[in-house]
Amino acid sequence: MAATTAVRSFLNSTARSVKQHNLSHLGTRPFPRLVFKSPLTSSGMCHVAQATRGNTDVLVRVVGEKGAVDEVKHVVEMAKRASLRREVLHTDFLTPPVLKESMQVLEKLADVKAVAQGGYPQAERCRLSVGHPEALTSDPDIVEALSISGNFGFEPCSHGDFLGSILGTGISRDKLGDILLQGEKGAQILLVPDLVDFLTSALNKVGNVTVTCKRIPLLALEYEPPRTKSFKTIEGSLRLDAIASAGYKISRSKLVDLISNGDVRVNWASVSKNNTTIKTGDMISVSGKGRLKIGEINSTKKGKFAVELIRYL
């Protein structure tokens, strides 16, 4: 009994000493609340300490898209920094996988609020605003819209044509959001506000069509759900080259060449291996040929795979 009393006395005096020492360095900031787990095993203390601090490396272990880990880690570090400083910080445009994984991780952090904005409700590429809930009280104005108009009646341009011309001005891809095609009229694009004036003056051609750019309000965006066509294929494996060649109806050798040239992406990340395994929910894109989403996958009685393919038209 005496030993137990002595241990408790020691722990109490140590806690007071630690608190006084830390408060002298924190100024007027509140002392962080520590949570202890009983019994105080070494594994228990490690787990609690990591959870209290929101250890980034521990948090990002749940990220399913391995290619997104570094980007998600960057977002989480930004959010923790913004919360600590009681300020609001903004990411560039994030791809859907990175956005989804980031939001799932940020939900685990106390005192962090995140708001995603892409310019319109169905936006795929979005920017995240992160900060302490007391600082992030409204949606910041971090997305602008531009209309790119020209005479596209005789020379239609694809999503890739617009994207290539915009990137050709020197703008990096992460500064640009969605591109909404408007047929003969041109396109509407979303981008970071700082580059609106630059792109308005720098972009004068898309393909061989002379264009003009004009800032427009977000409410003026004209968006229609993309047209799609669904069909099924039976394949012996879930390799990328097999599934994509069936989805785009091109030969497997041609698809392999496209992969080698860096023209094929899975979930917005470039791939270099033909045998990359595809799963339900993956988005495949091939330069100049549009996008292909992987739907339900079922095994057949003969050991093959029945794969639902959703082609964006």
Side-chain angles (χ1 to χ4, degrees):
M1 183 70 178
T4 302
T5 302
V7 170
R8 288 178 177 173
S9 176
F10 172 75
L11 289 174
N12 288 336
S13 63
T14 301
R16 285 195 299 271
S17 175
V18 170
K19 180 175 181 179
Q20 291 170 356
H21 173 75
N22 282 282
L23 282 174
S24 66
H25 289 79
L26 291 172
T28 58
R29 287 183 294 173
F31 186 75
R33 181 170 63 91
L34 296 180
V35 180
F36 294 97
K37 185 177 181 180
S38 182
L40 297 181
T41 61
S42 59
S43 60
M45 283 299 297
C46 179
H47 172 78
V48 172
Q50 289 174 337
T52 303
R53 292 195 302 267
N55 185 284
T56 304
D57 289 330
V58 173
L59 290 168
V60 299
R61 287 178 185 172
V62 301
V63 175
E65 295 289 342
K66 298 308 177 184
V69 171
D70 289 341
E71 291 181 80
V72 173
K73 186 174 181 179
H74 174 73
V75 172
V76 173
E77 291 289 357
M78 177 186 291
K80 291 165 63 178
R81 185 168 65 251
S83 179
L84 180 64
R85 297 175 181 176
R86 294 296 198 275
E87 62 183 7
V88 178
L89 298 175
H90 316 289
T91 70
D92 288 325
F93 284 96
L94 305 175
T95 62
V98 174
L99 177 66
K100 176 185 176 181
E101 300 279 9
S102 296
M103 293 294 282
Q104 290 177 343
V105 173
L106 292 177
E107 287 176 357
K108 303 178 185 299
L109 288 178
D111 297 330
V112 170
K113 180 180 179 181
V115 176
Q117 297 183 81
Y120 64 105
Q122 298 86 357
E124 289 188 350
R125 297 175 64 88
C126 293
R127 300 185 71 186
L128 267 183
S129 297
V130 293
H132 194 278
E134 295 177 359
L136 186 52
T137 57
S138 60
D139 295 351
D141 295 325
I142 58 172
V143 179
E144 290 278 3
L146 275 184
S147 172
I148 304 176
S149 57
N151 186 8
F152 292 95
F154 297 100
E155 190 169 345
C157 286
S158 66
H159 181 282
D161 293 326
F162 280 94
L163 178 60
S165 297
I166 294 169
L167 299 184
T169 65
I171 292 179
S172 62
R173 184 64 179 97
D174 55 8
K175 302 295 183 183
L176 186 66
D178 287 359
I179 298 175
L180 307 178
L181 299 180
Q182 293 186 294
E184 296 183 0
K185 293 189 295 183
Q188 295 173 333
I189 66 170
L190 289 306
L191 72 167
V192 297
D194 293 346
L195 293 177
V196 169
D197 291 338
F198 168 77
L199 192 59
T200 300
S201 61
L203 184 65
N204 49 46
K205 269 194 173 185
V206 173
N208 294 319
V209 179
T210 300
V211 299
T212 57
C213 299
K214 180 182 178 182
R215 185 197 305 257
I216 59 174
L218 295 178
L219 291 176
L221 290 171
E222 299 176 5
Y223 174 75
E224 294 182 3
R227 294 183 300 115
T228 61
K229 177 182 179 181
S230 299
F231 56 97
K232 290 187 176 181
T233 182
I234 305 295
E235 301 296 332
S237 74
L238 296 177
R239 288 168 53 116
L240 171 62
D241 52 2
I243 302 300
S245 62
Y248 290 101
K249 300 189 184 303
I250 56 179
S251 69
R252 200 157 173 172
S253 59
K254 175 63 175 177
L255 199 285
V256 169
D257 290 339
L258 290 170
I259 294 175
S260 299
N261 293 333
D263 293 326
V264 179
R265 290 177 171 79
V266 176
N267 296 329
W268 290 268
S270 182
V271 293
S272 58
K273 296 181 179 180
N274 308 334
N275 61 352
T276 298
T277 301
I278 298 303
K279 62 184 182 301
T280 297
D282 281 350
M283 183 75 77
I284 302 173
S285 58
V286 175
S287 299
K289 297 185 181 298
R291 296 179 298 169
L292 180 71
K293 187 173 183 178
I294 309 302
E296 187 176 352
I297 300 176
N298 293 302
S299 298
T300 68
K301 293 181 179 179
K302 295 183 178 181
K304 294 189 176 183
F305 299 94
V307 184
E308 178 188 20
L309 301 176
I310 305 168
R311 182 77 180 271
Y312 287 75
L313 304 176

mmCIF file of all heavy atoms in Angstrom, residues 165-195:
data_model
loop_
_atom_site.group_PDB
_atom_site.id
_atom_site.type_symbol
_atom_site.label_atom_id
_atom_site.label_comp_id
_atom_site.label_asym_id
_atom_site.label_seq_id
_atom_site.Cartn_x
_atom_site.Cartn_y
_atom_site.Cartn_z
ATOM 1 N N SER A 165 -3.165 22.728 -74.719
ATOM 2 C CA SER A 165 -2.936 24.139 -75.025
ATOM 3 C C SER A 165 -2.759 24.969 -73.761
ATOM 4 O O SER A 165 -1.916 25.873 -73.702
ATOM 5 C CB SER A 165 -4.107 24.697 -75.841
ATOM 6 O OG SER A 165 -4.209 24.049 -77.089
ATOM 7 N N ILE A 166 -3.538 24.649 -72.738
ATOM 8 C CA ILE A 166 -3.426 25.383 -71.471
ATOM 9 C C ILE A 166 -2.086 25.103 -70.805
ATOM 10 O O ILE A 166 -1.386 26.024 -70.364
ATOM 11 C CB ILE A 166 -4.585 25.010 -70.530
ATOM 12 C CG1 ILE A 166 -5.914 25.498 -71.119
ATOM 13 C CG2 ILE A 166 -4.373 25.618 -69.151
ATOM 14 C CD1 ILE A 166 -7.137 24.958 -70.412
ATOM 15 N N LEU A 167 -1.706 23.828 -70.754
ATOM 16 C CA LEU A 167 -0.413 23.486 -70.152
ATOM 17 C C LEU A 167 0.743 24.047 -70.963
ATOM 18 O O LEU A 167 1.819 24.318 -70.426
ATOM 19 C CB LEU A 167 -0.279 21.963 -70.021
ATOM 20 C CG LEU A 167 -1.318 21.258 -69.140
ATOM 21 C CD1 LEU A 167 -0.991 19.765 -69.036
ATOM 22 C CD2 LEU A 167 -1.388 21.888 -67.765
ATOM 23 N N GLY A 168 0.506 24.251 -72.260
ATOM 24 C CA GLY A 168 1.536 24.818 -73.123
ATOM 25 C C GLY A 168 1.892 26.257 -72.777
ATOM 26 O O GLY A 168 2.950 26.749 -73.169
ATOM 27 N N THR A 169 1.032 26.935 -72.022
ATOM 28 C CA THR A 169 1.341 28.311 -71.597
ATOM 29 C C THR A 169 2.296 28.320 -70.409
ATOM 30 O O THR A 169 2.781 29.384 -70.011
ATOM 31 C CB THR A 169 0.061 29.061 -71.200
ATOM 32 O OG1 THR A 169 -0.518 28.450 -70.033
ATOM 33 C CG2 THR A 169 -0.942 29.059 -72.342
ATOM 34 N N GLY A 170 2.543 27.146 -69.825
ATOM 35 C CA GLY A 170 3.441 27.061 -68.674
ATOM 36 C C GLY A 170 2.739 26.790 -67.365
ATOM 37 O O GLY A 170 3.389 26.640 -66.320
ATOM 38 N N ILE A 171 1.417 26.704 -67.385
ATOM 39 C CA ILE A 171 0.651 26.418 -66.167
ATOM 40 C C ILE A 171 0.778 24.936 -65.830
ATOM 41 O O ILE A 171 0.668 24.081 -66.712
ATOM 42 C CB ILE A 171 -0.830 26.790 -66.360
ATOM 43 C CG1 ILE A 171 -0.972 28.320 -66.472
ATOM 44 C CG2 ILE A 171 -1.681 26.272 -65.208
ATOM 45 C CD1 ILE A 171 -2.396 28.777 -66.694
ATOM 46 N N SER A 172 0.995 24.631 -64.574
ATOM 47 C CA SER A 172 1.094 23.229 -64.162
ATOM 48 C C SER A 172 -0.301 22.642 -63.972
ATOM 49 O O SER A 172 -1.260 23.364 -63.680
ATOM 50 C CB SER A 172 1.904 23.095 -62.869
ATOM 51 O OG SER A 172 1.274 23.781 -61.806
ATOM 52 N N ARG A 173 -0.406 21.331 -64.109
ATOM 53 C CA ARG A 173 -1.709 20.667 -64.082
ATOM 54 C C ARG A 173 -2.444 20.864 -62.767
ATOM 55 O O ARG A 173 -3.674 20.931 -62.740
ATOM 56 C CB ARG A 173 -1.514 19.157 -64.339
ATOM 57 C CG ARG A 173 -2.843 18.371 -64.422
ATOM 58 C CD ARG A 173 -3.645 18.837 -65.620
ATOM 59 N NE ARG A 173 -4.910 18.131 -65.775
ATOM 60 C CZ ARG A 173 -6.087 18.576 -65.339
ATOM 61 N NH1 ARG A 173 -6.121 19.719 -64.660
ATOM 62 N NH2 ARG A 173 -7.190 17.906 -65.566
ATOM 63 N N ASP A 174 -1.722 20.945 -61.649
ATOM 64 C CA ASP A 174 -2.407 21.043 -60.364
ATOM 65 C C ASP A 174 -3.010 22.422 -60.098
ATOM 66 O O ASP A 174 -3.708 22.615 -59.102
ATOM 67 C CB ASP A 174 -1.478 20.650 -59.211
ATOM 68 C CG ASP A 174 -0.189 21.460 -59.183
ATOM 69 O OD1 ASP A 174 -0.067 22.420 -59.959
ATOM 70 O OD2 ASP A 174 0.692 21.124 -58.376
ATOM 71 N N LYS A 175 -2.759 23.374 -60.999
ATOM 72 C CA LYS A 175 -3.387 24.693 -60.879
ATOM 73 C C LYS A 175 -4.709 24.758 -61.643
ATOM 74 O O LYS A 175 -5.398 25.772 -61.610
ATOM 75 C CB LYS A 175 -2.455 25.776 -61.422
ATOM 76 C CG LYS A 175 -1.094 25.837 -60.751
ATOM 77 C CD LYS A 175 -1.199 26.230 -59.293
ATOM 78 C CE LYS A 175 0.188 26.348 -58.662
ATOM 79 N NZ LYS A 175 0.105 26.675 -57.204
ATOM 80 N N LEU A 176 -5.030 23.667 -62.310
ATOM 81 C CA LEU A 176 -6.197 23.623 -63.190
ATOM 82 C C LEU A 176 -7.189 22.579 -62.700
ATOM 83 O O LEU A 176 -6.819 21.460 -62.379
ATOM 84 C CB LEU A 176 -5.738 23.297 -64.608
ATOM 85 C CG LEU A 176 -6.764 23.342 -65.733
ATOM 86 C CD1 LEU A 176 -7.259 24.762 -65.952
ATOM 87 C CD2 LEU A 176 -6.143 22.800 -67.018
ATOM 88 N N GLY A 177 -8.468 22.965 -62.675
ATOM 89 C CA GLY A 177 -9.514 22.042 -62.273
ATOM 90 C C GLY A 177 -10.123 21.339 -63.465
ATOM 91 O O GLY A 177 -9.440 20.982 -64.417
ATOM 92 N N ASP A 178 -11.431 21.160 -63.435
ATOM 93 C CA ASP A 178 -12.122 20.458 -64.512
ATOM 94 C C ASP A 178 -12.196 21.309 -65.781
ATOM 95 O O ASP A 178 -12.161 22.546 -65.729
ATOM 96 C CB ASP A 178 -13.548 20.098 -64.086
ATOM 97 C CG ASP A 178 -13.577 18.959 -63.082
ATOM 98 O OD1 ASP A 178 -12.494 18.450 -62.730
ATOM 99 O OD2 ASP A 178 -14.687 18.593 -62.642
ATOM 100 N N ILE A 179 -12.313 20.631 -66.906
ATOM 101 C CA ILE A 179 -12.542 21.274 -68.209
ATOM 102 C C ILE A 179 -13.901 20.802 -68.706
ATOM 103 O O ILE A 179 -14.122 19.600 -68.879
ATOM 104 C CB ILE A 179 -11.445 20.903 -69.216
ATOM 105 C CG1 ILE A 179 -10.081 21.398 -68.721
ATOM 106 C CG2 ILE A 179 -11.762 21.490 -70.593
ATOM 107 C CD1 ILE A 179 -8.933 20.962 -69.615
ATOM 108 N N LEU A 180 -14.826 21.738 -68.910
ATOM 109 C CA LEU A 180 -16.178 21.405 -69.352
ATOM 110 C C LEU A 180 -16.319 21.759 -70.831
ATOM 111 O O LEU A 180 -16.328 22.943 -71.199
ATOM 112 C CB LEU A 180 -17.208 22.183 -68.525
ATOM 113 C CG LEU A 180 -17.085 22.047 -67.004
ATOM 114 C CD1 LEU A 180 -18.134 22.896 -66.309
ATOM 115 C CD2 LEU A 180 -17.206 20.587 -66.584
ATOM 116 N N LEU A 181 -16.390 20.745 -71.684
ATOM 117 C CA LEU A 181 -16.497 20.965 -73.119
ATOM 118 C C LEU A 181 -17.880 21.491 -73.472
ATOM 119 O O LEU A 181 -18.893 21.062 -72.909
ATOM 120 C CB LEU A 181 -16.212 19.675 -73.879
ATOM 121 C CG LEU A 181 -14.816 19.062 -73.686
ATOM 122 C CD1 LEU A 181 -14.694 17.790 -74.504
ATOM 123 C CD2 LEU A 181 -13.725 20.054 -74.059
ATOM 124 N N GLN A 182 -17.927 22.414 -74.462
ATOM 125 C CA GLN A 182 -19.195 22.996 -74.904
ATOM 126 C C GLN A 182 -19.397 22.884 -76.410
ATOM 127 O O GLN A 182 -20.078 23.704 -77.010
ATOM 128 C CB GLN A 182 -19.249 24.467 -74.495
ATOM 129 C CG GLN A 182 -19.310 24.685 -72.985
ATOM 130 C CD GLN A 182 -19.512 26.141 -72.645
ATOM 131 O OE1 GLN A 182 -18.638 26.970 -72.899
ATOM 132 N NE2 GLN A 182 -20.682 26.451 -72.105
ATOM 133 N N GLY A 183 -18.783 21.870 -77.002
ATOM 134 C CA GLY A 183 -18.966 21.633 -78.428
ATOM 135 C C GLY A 183 -18.430 22.773 -79.283
ATOM 136 O O GLY A 183 -17.274 23.189 -79.142
ATOM 137 N N GLU A 184 -19.285 23.303 -80.153
ATOM 138 C CA GLU A 184 -18.858 24.358 -81.081
ATOM 139 C C GLU A 184 -18.474 25.655 -80.374
ATOM 140 O O GLU A 184 -17.732 26.468 -80.920
ATOM 141 C CB GLU A 184 -19.967 24.635 -82.095
ATOM 142 C CG GLU A 184 -20.281 23.462 -83.007
ATOM 143 C CD GLU A 184 -21.341 23.805 -84.033
ATOM 144 O OE1 GLU A 184 -21.823 24.964 -84.011
ATOM 145 O OE2 GLU A 184 -21.686 22.942 -84.853
ATOM 146 N N LYS A 185 -18.977 25.849 -79.163
ATOM 147 C CA LYS A 185 -18.709 27.098 -78.448
ATOM 148 C C LYS A 185 -17.327 27.122 -77.798
ATOM 149 O O LYS A 185 -16.802 28.205 -77.516
ATOM 150 C CB LYS A 185 -19.785 27.346 -77.385
ATOM 151 C CG LYS A 185 -21.162 27.627 -77.965
ATOM 152 C CD LYS A 185 -22.135 28.082 -76.886
ATOM 153 C CE LYS A 185 -22.400 27.007 -75.865
ATOM 154 N NZ LYS A 185 -23.395 27.431 -74.846
ATOM 155 N N GLY A 186 -16.754 25.960 -77.510
ATOM 156 C CA GLY A 186 -15.451 25.920 -76.865
ATOM 157 C C GLY A 186 -15.483 25.144 -75.572
ATOM 158 O O GLY A 186 -15.894 23.996 -75.540
ATOM 159 N N ALA A 187 -15.101 25.798 -74.490
ATOM 160 C CA ALA A 187 -15.059 25.104 -73.202
ATOM 161 C C ALA A 187 -15.069 26.102 -72.060
ATOM 162 O O ALA A 187 -14.786 27.291 -72.239
ATOM 163 C CB ALA A 187 -13.824 24.216 -73.113
ATOM 164 N N GLN A 188 -15.405 25.601 -70.894
ATOM 165 C CA GLN A 188 -15.287 26.370 -69.659
ATOM 166 C C GLN A 188 -14.321 25.621 -68.759
ATOM 167 O O GLN A 188 -14.347 24.391 -68.688
ATOM 168 C CB GLN A 188 -16.644 26.522 -68.977
ATOM 169 C CG GLN A 188 -17.636 27.348 -69.787
ATOM 170 C CD GLN A 188 -19.025 27.342 -69.172
ATOM 171 O OE1 GLN A 188 -19.404 26.397 -68.476
ATOM 172 N NE2 GLN A 188 -19.797 28.395 -69.430
ATOM 173 N N ILE A 189 -13.458 26.364 -68.065
ATOM 174 C CA ILE A 189 -12.451 25.717 -67.230
ATOM 175 C C ILE A 189 -12.452 26.327 -65.835
ATOM 176 O O ILE A 189 -12.876 27.466 -65.632
ATOM 177 C CB ILE A 189 -11.036 25.843 -67.846
ATOM 178 C CG1 ILE A 189 -10.581 27.309 -67.849
ATOM 179 C CG2 ILE A 189 -10.988 25.263 -69.238
ATOM 180 C CD1 ILE A 189 -9.116 27.482 -68.201
ATOM 181 N N LEU A 190 -11.979 25.544 -64.879
ATOM 182 C CA LEU A 190 -11.807 25.991 -63.496
ATOM 183 C C LEU A 190 -10.326 26.072 -63.202
ATOM 184 O O LEU A 190 -9.558 25.202 -63.641
ATOM 185 C CB LEU A 190 -12.475 25.023 -62.519
ATOM 186 C CG LEU A 190 -13.999 24.954 -62.445
ATOM 187 C CD1 LEU A 190 -14.604 26.335 -62.187
ATOM 188 C CD2 LEU A 190 -14.606 24.336 -63.676
ATOM 189 N N LEU A 191 -9.921 27.096 -62.461
ATOM 190 C CA LEU A 191 -8.507 27.260 -62.142
ATOM 191 C C LEU A 191 -8.334 28.101 -60.889
ATOM 192 O O LEU A 191 -9.309 28.658 -60.357
ATOM 193 C CB LEU A 191 -7.742 27.887 -63.310
ATOM 194 C CG LEU A 191 -7.961 29.374 -63.627
ATOM 195 C CD1 LEU A 191 -6.876 29.855 -64.589
ATOM 196 C CD2 LEU A 191 -9.321 29.635 -64.232
ATOM 197 N N VAL A 192 -7.086 28.213 -60.430
ATOM 198 C CA VAL A 192 -6.810 29.021 -59.243
ATOM 199 C C VAL A 192 -6.921 30.499 -59.623
ATOM 200 O O VAL A 192 -6.559 30.895 -60.738
ATOM 201 C CB VAL A 192 -5.407 28.722 -58.677
ATOM 202 C CG1 VAL A 192 -5.317 27.277 -58.217
ATOM 203 C CG2 VAL A 192 -4.318 29.008 -59.701
ATOM 204 N N PRO A 193 -7.434 31.341 -58.730
ATOM 205 C CA PRO A 193 -7.649 32.760 -59.054
ATOM 206 C C PRO A 193 -6.401 33.500 -59.518
ATOM 207 O O PRO A 193 -6.485 34.373 -60.391
ATOM 208 C CB PRO A 193 -8.175 33.334 -57.733
ATOM 209 C CG PRO A 193 -8.822 32.174 -57.052
ATOM 210 C CD PRO A 193 -7.962 30.984 -57.398
ATOM 211 N N ASP A 194 -5.234 33.157 -58.971
ATOM 212 C CA ASP A 194 -4.012 33.900 -59.290
ATOM 213 C C ASP A 194 -3.611 33.820 -60.760
ATOM 214 O O ASP A 194 -2.833 34.666 -61.233
ATOM 215 C CB ASP A 194 -2.846 33.383 -58.438
ATOM 216 C CG ASP A 194 -3.027 33.688 -56.961
ATOM 217 O OD1 ASP A 194 -3.904 34.526 -56.641
ATOM 218 O OD2 ASP A 194 -2.319 33.093 -56.142
ATOM 219 N N LEU A 195 -4.120 32.818 -61.479
ATOM 220 C CA LEU A 195 -3.680 32.619 -62.863
ATOM 221 C C LEU A 195 -4.724 33.035 -63.900
ATOM 222 O O LEU A 195 -4.512 32.844 -65.090
ATOM 223 C CB LEU A 195 -3.303 31.153 -63.078
ATOM 224 C CG LEU A 195 -2.066 30.675 -62.314
ATOM 225 C CD1 LEU A 195 -1.827 29.193 -62.542
ATOM 226 C CD2 LEU A 195 -0.831 31.478 -62.729
#
